[in-house]
């Protein structure tokens, strides 16, 4: 395995981190028990499969050139036992206990001198359900890449990877050297010119979109360094019925559901905004299907969530119209495409400018709402079927809420990550997500949604 420079966006995520603002993303995977499969067996399986994933043996080291840069290098003292551990849940309600414990574990930053990831086997009774919490530093992967890396623990993926590796006689997907092929230099130069032009456009949009009226809300409270998690489950079949009735995409509907849930929750807190809706950053992957590029390939859209609208249908149509405008402009234009700017900065700018950039995030958006794609096939670990997977996004500095969604097994699994002190009633917001979705489902079932507007 060679040495690979951190890409500019990966370096930005690496330097954005502080003890109170860990920059790891995660997932809580819940499994149904199978007779004869004991926790020690599952723990050994997790360790052996994680150790076989080349990317998980890499750690970050500073380099002399470029000045201020860093690179992924193989940890010569790699010990999987440092990364994969078992923790117990004592509560009678396994899911409540696992969620509480996962929140506590998500508070803890990853060690900077080791490969930046952790896995925890969370279990109660030996014959009961168990969960696996996966933490990956955002510098290591974006959502799509994290899924590709983390999927290596599942029976179905591990079997295919092992077979391919044996057939090739070398580890699967070795990291690429940071030195470019000379034949690529001309193409890279042309691409760089185009990227710089796009960055200038994004910078201008960023200035126009920035807000100076930084009022204190539940979403922008000072960080306490604590984390609280909550989950919700939605019916994916009902989601498709709503889509067919109202038009738009499934993601449009989920964004509208989040807006409606925020309205319910904020109304109970006496905080429904008058005239200014909370703004969401909606990440967009720039990763090409089948590509092997490591690290982050992200852009984003900005979306004012129509919390002020009382009618669920009005909220859905407002989201659909706004997302259509975003898509027409493309993921490389507009203030949401801040990743384009990160790609143009010198490593020293990321090293010393990260605190300033982190503090400026609240000027651009109030919360993060992201969808994470999962494999459509059934997955298992040691023969125990995966029953749910709740993705978890990191919190930007000065912000208190991130919402992530994934679809698996006919359900939409919603993971909410919040600052524990700013949003102690996060469970109520999770309940509001389900209530808002049910209202839309009932409207569809009763035939009260009008025909889509062309």
């Amino acid at each position: 395995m060679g040495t690979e420079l951190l890409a500019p966006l990966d370096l930005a995520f690496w330097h954005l981190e502080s003890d109170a603002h860990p920059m790891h993303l995660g997932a809580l995977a819940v499994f149904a028990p199978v007779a004869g499969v004991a926790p020690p067996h599952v723990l050994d399986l997790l360790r052996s499969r994680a150790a076989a994933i080349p990317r998980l043996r890499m750690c970050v080291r500073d380099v002399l050139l470029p000045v201020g840069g860093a690179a992924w290098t193989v940890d010569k003292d790699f010990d999987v036992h440092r990364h994969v551990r078992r923790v117990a849940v004592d509560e009678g309600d396994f899911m409540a206990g696992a969620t509480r414990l996962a929140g506590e574990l998500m508070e803890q930053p990853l060690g900077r001198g080791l490969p930046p990831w952790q896995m925890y086997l969370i279990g109660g009774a030996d014959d009961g359900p168990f969960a696996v919490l996966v933490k990956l530093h955002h510098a290591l992967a974006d959502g799509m890449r994290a899924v590709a890396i983390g999927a290596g623990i599942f029976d179905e993926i591990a079997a295919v990877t092992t077979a391919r590796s044996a057939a090739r006689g070398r580890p699967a997907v070795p990291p690429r050297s940071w030195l470019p092929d000379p034949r690529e230099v001309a193409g890279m130069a042309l691409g760089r010119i185009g990227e710089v032009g796009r960055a200038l456009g994004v910078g201008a949009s960023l200035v126009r979109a920035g807000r100076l009226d930084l009022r204190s809300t539940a979403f922008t409270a000072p960080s306490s360094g604590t984390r609280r998690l909550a989950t919700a489950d939605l019916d994916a079949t009902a989601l498709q019925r709503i889509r067919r009735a109202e038009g738009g995409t499934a993601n449009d509907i989920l964004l509208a559901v989040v807006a409606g849930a925020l309205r319910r929750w904020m109304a109970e807190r006496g905080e429904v905004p008058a005239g200014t809706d909370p703004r969401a950053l909606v990440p967009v992957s720039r990763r090409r299907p089948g590509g092997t590029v490591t690290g982050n390939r992200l852009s984003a859209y900005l979306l004012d969530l129509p919390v002020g609208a009382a009618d669920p249908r009005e909220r859905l149509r407002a989201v659909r119209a706004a997302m259509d405008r975003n898509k027409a402009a493309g993921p490389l234009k507009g203030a949401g495409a801040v990743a384009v700017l990160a790609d143009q900065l010198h490593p020293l700018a990321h090293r010393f400018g990260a605190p300033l950039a982190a503090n400026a995030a609240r000027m651009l958006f109030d919360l993060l709402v992201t969808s994470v794609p999962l494999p459509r096939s059934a997955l298992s670990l040691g023969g125990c079927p995966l029953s749910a997977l709740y993705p978890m996004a990191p919190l930007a500095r000065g912000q208190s809420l991130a919402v992530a969604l994934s679809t698996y097994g006919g359900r939409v699994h919603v993971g909410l990550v919040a600052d524990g002190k700013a949003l102690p009633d996060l469970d109520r917001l999770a309940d509001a997500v389900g209530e808002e979705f049910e209202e839309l489902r009932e409207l569809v079932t009763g035939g009260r949604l009008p025909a889509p507007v062309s």
Side-chain angles (χ1 to χ4, degrees):
M1 298 183 188
T3 298
E4 176 190 347
L5 284 178
L6 269 71
L9 187 54
D10 303 344
L11 195 62
F13 284 130
W14 187 250
H15 290 306
L16 281 171
E17 183 170 70
S18 67
D19 287 343
H21 304 92
M23 286 302 298
H24 50 254
L25 42 81
L28 184 65
V30 182
F31 296 87
V34 169
V37 181
H41 169 70
V42 176
L43 185 63
D44 289 342
L45 201 58
L46 272 176
R47 285 172 172 164
S48 64
R49 290 180 177 172
I53 300 173
R55 198 69 185 168
L56 296 185
R57 291 176 171 267
M58 308 293 281
C59 57
V60 176
R61 298 282 188 264
D62 290 340
V63 295
L64 293 176
L65 294 174
V67 177
W72 293 107
T73 60
V74 176
D75 181 4
K76 297 179 180 179
D77 299 318
F78 177 78
D79 182 358
V80 73
H81 292 80
R82 295 175 176 173
H83 298 271
V84 183
R85 302 170 184 171
R86 181 185 177 187
V87 289
V89 173
D90 297 328
E91 285 95 332
D93 185 335
F94 169 76
M95 196 61 209
T99 303
R100 176 195 58 77
L101 183 56
E104 295 175 1
L105 294 171
M106 288 294 285
E107 290 179 6
Q108 304 169 12
L110 294 162
R112 303 284 282 188
L114 299 172
W117 64 274
Q118 291 282 346
M119 291 185 190
Y120 298 91
L121 174 61
I122 301 175
D126 286 353
D127 58 350
F130 65 91
V132 175
L133 173 66
V134 180
K135 293 168 53 177
L136 296 173
H137 199 286
H138 213 332
L140 183 65
D142 54 27
M144 287 186 67
R145 185 63 181 167
V147 169
I149 293 173
I153 69 171
F154 295 115
D155 299 337
E156 297 76 10
I157 309 301
V160 172
T161 303
T162 301
R164 288 178 178 172
S165 180
R168 295 173 181 172
R170 62 179 185 272
V173 196
R176 182 181 176 181
S177 170
W178 60 271
L179 289 172
D181 187 308
R183 293 170 297 181
E184 298 178 357
V185 172
M188 291 171 62
L190 291 174
R192 191 73 172 172
I193 293 173
E195 288 285 332
V196 170
R198 283 192 291 269
L200 292 174
V202 172
S205 298
L206 197 64
V207 172
R208 292 193 296 269
R211 298 169 301 179
L212 298 179
D213 56 332
L214 297 181
R215 58 200 188 286
S216 179
T217 69
F219 307 121
T220 57
S223 174
S224 68
T226 61
R227 291 293 179 269
R228 186 175 179 86
L229 307 182
T231 62
D233 292 89
L234 312 176
D235 187 338
T237 301
L239 175 67
Q240 293 304 322
R241 290 182 63 191
I242 297 171
R243 183 189 63 79
R244 288 192 294 268
E246 186 69 6
T249 67
N251 198 50
D252 293 342
I253 296 166
L254 292 173
L255 287 166
V257 167
V258 171
L262 290 174
R263 177 182 174 83
R264 292 170 184 262
W265 176 73
M266 294 173 73
E268 293 174 3
R269 294 166 59 108
E271 295 178 354
V272 173
T276 303
D277 290 321
R279 181 181 290 172
L281 184 75
V282 183
V284 180
S285 176
R286 296 168 57 196
R287 193 175 300 280
R288 295 178 180 178
T292 59
V293 176
T294 58
N296 288 269
R297 295 289 295 169
L298 289 173
S299 185
Y301 296 138
L302 290 180
L303 173 68
D304 289 333
L305 294 171
V307 170
D311 185 344
R313 293 165 293 187
E314 182 182 347
R315 288 195 292 269
L316 180 52
R317 288 170 182 165
V319 167
R320 178 184 172 186
M323 289 301 288
D324 284 347
R325 289 193 296 270
N326 277 327
K327 293 170 188 175
L332 297 181
K333 295 182 180 180
V338 290
V340 175
L341 292 179
D343 280 336
Q344 309 309 314
L345 297 179
H346 190 276
L348 281 175
H350 290 301
R351 186 176 292 269
F352 295 111
L356 179 62
N359 289 324
R362 62 177 297 196
M363 297 178 63
L364 193 61
F365 63 96
D366 298 300
L367 70 157
L368 177 76
V369 184
T370 183
S371 293
V372 181
L374 295 180
R376 295 183 179 180
S377 59
L379 299 171
S380 61
L381 176 60
C384 300
L386 176 69
S387 55
L389 192 148
Y390 301 97
M392 301 171 190
L395 294 180
R397 187 176 305 220
Q399 296 177 330
S400 306
L401 177 65
V403 183
L405 313 99
S406 65
T407 302
Y408 174 80
R411 306 290 293 176
V412 179
H413 304 293
V414 185
L416 300 97
V417 178
D419 183 281
K421 290 188 177 180
L423 276 71
D425 54 346
L426 185 65
D427 289 338
R428 175 62 200 121
L429 177 56
D431 290 342
V433 171
E435 293 166 3
E436 178 67 18
F437 185 79
E438 282 301 305
E439 180 172 352
L440 273 177
R441 185 190 64 80
E442 290 172 4
L443 285 172
V444 172
T445 300
R448 283 177 283 168
L449 276 177
V453 178
S454 60

